[in-house]
Amino acid sequence: METNPLPLPLILFVFSLLFSALDSSDSKSSPLLYDCDQCHRTKERDVSTTRSRDEKDVGIIATYSDSASGHVRLARLKMRDLSDSWIWENPTHQYQKTSREFMESFQTESNPNHSTDEHYPEQSRVQIPRSSSMTMTPMKIKRRVMRQDRRKARAAELTREDKENDDHIVSAAIEHTEGFDTTIKGKYGIWRREYENPNSDSTLKLMQDQIIMAKAYANIAKSKNKTVLYEALIKHSRDSQQAIGEASSDTELHLGALDRAKAMGHVLSIAKDQLYDCLLVSRKLRAMLQSTEDKVNIQKKRSAFLIQLAAKTVPRPLHCLPLQLAANYYLQGYHKKGNLDKEKIEDPSLYHYAIFSDNVLAASVVVNSTVQNAKEPEKHVFHIVTDKLNFAAMRMWFLINPPSKATIEVQNVDDFKWLNSSYCSVLRQLESARIKEYYFKANHPSSLSVGSDNLKYRNPKYLSMLNHLRFYLPEVYPKLNRILFLDDDIVVQRDLTPLWSIDLKGMVNGAVETCKESFHRFDKYLNFSNPLISNNFSPEACGWAFGMNMFDLKEWKKRNITGIYHRWQDMNEDRTLWKLGTLPPGLITFYNLTYPLDRGWHVLGLGYDPALNLTEIENGAVIHYNGNYKPWLNLAVSKYKSYWSRYVMFDNPYLRVCNLSE
């Protein structure tokens, strides 16, 4: 028989009494609750025949009104705690399980004496609006509790981030403040926190900043006749500089460096009290900055000039080697021997190389590296052309050090009688008074007064016909169909014979392109303000590299490439289309006639870029030391030098006599 439920006010009143007792003491120690529990258990046994329930007692969520706060709160009850007038309307197992799990997880939050947050006890209780408490299910309540937990966690995270940001702002303010006593304290604190990090250089940076400010205040003190303060600033600045020495990190500082920093901070604090004026200090720092920039620019120009000078200067061992070889060439009668294997020299079915060089050691590395990596060295023929000064030495070297099975031909460029000023435009220009004045005039403006871009064009190699002989390959080798041109600053690391089987698609020149995005395109080399250039070429056309080029000599003759080269050289007699060099006229001459080879065939930059990918270098078929840092100079990038030196015969007696060693 169903009984009418008790009125809601009466229920709330009863539970208010019940939970007032729960709030005041533990349930096991309260006589009221103990008696109530016994009473309910007796009733439960009496009505067991009229009431059906599960073997396990059922957990119930009860709500009650808190008279103090006005909020409706939750608590846990058991089925046994209720009178017989209560009816269970939905006794499903899932509902019981959900309610029980929820109340077990929520037990601490319903008891204000066991708050999970000691600092915010009111926030640890779940507060539910009175209007919605009667319609919310346990799952909704649980989701609300989880949302509140997430909000509290997010609030704690934001609070932590705000605190970190505040600490960062305070540290930055301390670092840049003009109060140097505070700066020292703040910096010292930062230094203590960062000391465990071996990469931290806060003390070094602090001392460097102090020296800058000391110089600024010293200038102000001198202008205001504060001699004592001026001398103190100069003295502490000198002491701090000595403490820093050559250090590049905190670990390299002297032991007393931090004490010097503290002493300097004290002096700077005094200087700030006596001399500080915002506008005056800012003007002084700005003047110091401008002066430093001017000094840096001067040093850059000097550095560029000295690098160019070092690149043009022949080291003593390299000067000794050709002298020793040339002397023995004539003394030992090698000049009477003729070239061998003349049939191979003109056989178009073999693999032919052209090397134009006046550097005996460099040419030997090119030949040695190519032969050592060739699968069939007996099929490789090297045509080396040098000048009159180095011809005897070059020929002597390869006569006494012949490469395994390969064929070597050494020629003197002065023996090419067809190469004269009446036929060759560039030779006529090189002999002109204007070029001689450009290079040799005594009162020419100092090299330091011109940009570093112009300095490289004053290299004597631009006066050598060896540098321009690459535009006359069909005339030099009239019986060959294809030839691979190699610079003397390259190293071969792979067999190059597959290059002869590449189809150039009717092009004359096979080369590796060097443009990446806007880098090394035509506008870098040619003067596009001149209509002769802008009307005939695209500034976005991709540049390519001399140094390893496969030339189709049959196609060369058909297209009259040498004639195109002569025509453009004549138009550039006043050097308005491009500056000196061979790459700009090469780009023009082989415009739309160049077939791009795979980049793996030719890796460039080892003579100027110290940040190249070493894996790319090791995998490259040919690596090129283009630039000023040649591998035979002290300027060479040390980590690249081993790729070149492994092909140098350091045990050769001529190299030992001239003190050439690794």
Side-chain angles (χ1 to χ4, degrees), residues 518-535:
S518 61
F519 185 62
H520 281 185
R521 296 190 181 272
F522 270 43
D523 58 355
K524 176 179 175 61
Y525 305 100
L526 305 176
N527 179 19
F528 275 87
S529 63
N530 192 303
L532 286 175
I533 297 296
S534 59
N535 294 337

Side-chain angles (χ1 to χ4, degrees), residues 9 78 175 383 634:
K78 295 292 185 179
E175 184 175 353
H383 304 269
N634 292 331

Side-chain angles (χ1 to χ4, degrees), residues 332-544:
Q332 298 178 14
Y334 283 94
H335 62 287
K336 298 178 181 179
K337 295 183 178 181
N339 286 324
L340 303 177
D341 299 324
K342 289 188 176 181
E343 293 182 359
K344 282 188 174 182
I345 290 174
E346 297 180 350
D347 187 353
S349 65
L350 300 179
Y351 306 115
H352 294 265
Y353 301 84
I355 304 171
F356 305 148
S357 174
D358 58 359
N359 188 325
V360 176
L361 188 62
S364 71
V365 169
V366 176
V367 173
N368 290 342
S369 62
T370 306
V371 172
Q372 289 183 30
N373 291 284
K375 294 180 180 179
E376 298 176 300
E378 67 277 3
K379 293 184 178 181
H380 295 258
V381 181
F382 296 88
H383 304 269
I384 301 175
V385 181
T386 187
D387 55 17
K388 182 189 300 184
L389 184 63
N390 293 281
F391 173 74
M394 189 76 73
R395 192 160 186 269
M396 178 67 176
W397 176 267
F398 287 106
L399 285 174
I400 62 176
N401 301 294
S404 175
K405 300 180 182 179
T407 303
I408 304 292
E409 179 193 26
V410 179
Q411 295 175 282
N412 182 359
V413 67
D414 292 325
D415 291 338
F416 300 153
K417 302 304 179 182
W418 51 267
L419 195 63
N420 50 61
S421 57
S422 61
Y423 172 68
C424 179
S425 301
V426 69
L427 187 59
R428 183 172 60 253
Q429 294 173 12
L430 292 176
E431 293 176 352
S432 67
R434 183 182 300 177
I435 292 295
K436 292 179 181 178
E437 181 182 9
Y438 178 77
Y439 275 98
F440 304 113
K441 188 174 180 179
N443 61 350
H444 194 277
S446 170
S447 296
L448 290 177
S449 64
V450 299
S452 59
D453 290 340
N454 294 328
L455 288 176
K456 62 182 179 181
Y457 298 109
R458 301 184 184 279
N459 195 315
K461 72 177 183 178
Y462 294 112
L463 293 175
S464 172
M465 195 56 209
L466 285 176
N467 199 41
H468 299 269
L469 193 61
R470 65 193 70 187
F471 294 102
Y472 300 93
L473 288 172
E475 286 86 344
V476 181
Y477 311 108
K479 295 185 179 181
L480 300 181
N481 297 327
R482 277 197 175 194
I483 195 166
L484 184 64
F485 171 79
L486 297 177
D487 266 342
D488 64 356
D489 55 352
I490 64 102
V491 174
V492 178
Q493 301 184 126
R494 232 166 52 208
D495 183 27
L496 300 182
T497 53
L499 285 170
W500 274 264
S501 60
I502 293 178
D503 183 6
L504 297 182
K505 309 293 184 182
M507 302 297 179
V508 179
N509 174 30
V512 170
E513 293 182 335
T514 57
C515 57
K516 296 179 180 179
E517 297 179 356
S518 61
F519 185 62
H520 281 185
R521 296 190 181 272
F522 270 43
D523 58 355
K524 176 179 175 61
Y525 305 100
L526 305 176
N527 179 19
F528 275 87
S529 63
N530 192 303
L532 286 175
I533 297 296
S534 59
N535 294 337
N536 290 280
F537 307 100
S538 169
E540 298 299 320
C542 192
W544 45 267

